[in-house]
Amino acid sequence: MKNIEQSNWWEHNHFINGYGKFPYVILKVGYALFMQIPIHFNKNNDIINYPGSHINGVSETDLKAYEYNKLSSLHEKIIEHCKWMKNKIEADRGGTVKMCLVEGPDVSYYFEGDTIDFSTNIPGGGTLLTQDHKVIGMNVKHYL
């Protein structure tokens, strides 16, 4: 058992396979309630091992370039994919959503209405859920 002096008793961190790695999308689903949707590349829509959203057909060259430069050509594919995700979620829910693409500890893009705004502040804290509403974090940063 952890010593309370060595940990923050108010934090809960239980990331499961596929969650907590960049890039991912955060949806605000309630007061201090957030849903993480991981984005995976070239996993052929294997949602069992790689839950979340998938972008297939990305070259190894583009993946390596993206690792070193978040503004590489893959970034634009991710932005377009997130626009598609937002439109689909809004159509499914019958209303607008607040959504954020997080590409790094200080790289995010907030989607609200028809605008996309860059920010160095990323969502964190609150209660973090998977797409099937399992709690994976409380009062923690949203990445590993």
Side-chain angles (χ1 to χ4, degrees), residues 2-142:
K2 283 186 181 178
N3 182 341
I4 287 194
E5 294 173 346
Q6 294 175 337
S7 66
N8 296 323
W9 60 268
W10 60 87
E11 291 181 351
H12 169 73
N13 183 337
H14 186 67
F15 284 90
I16 58 177
N17 185 36
Y19 287 86
K21 296 186 176 138
F22 302 114
Y24 57 80
V25 166
I26 293 289
L27 287 178
K28 186 163 176 55
V29 293
Y31 177 75
L33 194 60
F34 304 94
M35 178 181 290
Q36 186 174 106
I37 304 171
I39 298 175
H40 300 287
F41 304 105
N42 299 333
K43 302 301 181 191
N44 298 314
N45 302 320
D46 177 0
I47 61 172
I48 301 299
N49 295 306
Y50 301 96
S53 192
H54 292 252
I55 301 175
N56 294 308
V58 178
S59 73
E60 286 300 316
T61 303
D62 284 348
L63 285 172
K64 289 201 181 300
Y66 180 72
E67 282 181 33
Y68 295 104
N69 178 7
K70 296 300 182 224
L71 294 177
S72 68
S73 63
L74 182 52
H75 168 77
E76 286 306 315
K77 286 181 186 176
I78 296 169
I79 291 288
E80 290 304 314
H81 186 76
C82 287
K83 287 178 185 177
W84 171 83
M85 285 175 63
K86 182 176 182 294
N87 288 335
K88 181 172 181 358
I89 292 166
E90 288 179 340
D92 290 349
R93 292 187 178 184
T96 61
V97 296
K98 291 183 180 179
M99 187 173 112
C100 182
L101 165 64
V102 183
E103 292 185 287
D106 58 359
V107 179
S108 63
Y109 294 85
Y110 287 86
F111 292 69
E112 196 165 345
D114 292 331
T115 63
I116 302 171
D117 294 316
F118 170 79
S119 178
T120 57
N121 296 318
I122 68 171
T127 300
L128 185 62
L129 306 172
T130 65
Q131 286 177 272
D132 55 355
H133 302 282
K134 291 181 182 156
V135 175
I136 55 174
M138 292 178 72
N139 303 314
V140 297
K141 58 187 179 180
H142 294 175

